Amino acid sequence: MAARTAFPSAPLHSRRFFPFVSWLRSRLLARWYDRHLQRLDLAEIDNHQLRDLGLTPQDVRRECAKSFWQP
């Protein structure tokens, strides 16, 4: 029976995916932060501008109530 270690070495092919996973994670975090900022901006728009955009205050409240990870 082979000895087990706390940190088994990963095969070489899985190590190549780490930069991709890191890039994907950073893109996801950037998207979430951008969505958060967009919702903050949307909450500050007045009713006149909302009418120009074709939105109602209820639409804005519904959108701003979502969590940052929800599209």
Side-chain angles (χ1 to χ4, degrees):
M1 184 167 185
R4 293 185 170 205
T5 61
F7 302 103
S9 62
L12 183 59
H13 63 81
S14 68
R15 290 182 198 163
R16 284 183 279 186
F17 290 111
F18 179 73
F20 175 72
V21 170
S22 179
W23 173 81
L24 190 62
R25 185 181 316 150
S26 66
R27 294 280 300 176
L28 181 62
L29 290 174
R31 182 179 300 160
W32 284 349
Y33 184 65
D34 188 47
R35 192 176 293 153
H36 170 70
L37 293 178
Q38 288 176 10
R39 288 180 179 154
L40 288 177
D41 289 340
L42 182 62
E44 294 179 1
I45 296 177
D46 65 359
N47 288 334
H48 177 72
Q49 291 173 332
L50 287 177
R51 281 193 305 271
D52 287 346
L53 293 171
L55 297 173
T56 65
Q58 292 82 12
D59 294 334
V60 172
R61 279 194 294 275
R62 187 178 317 115
E63 186 64 28
C64 292
K66 292 181 182 179
S67 297
F68 63 89
W69 63 83
Q70 294 176 317

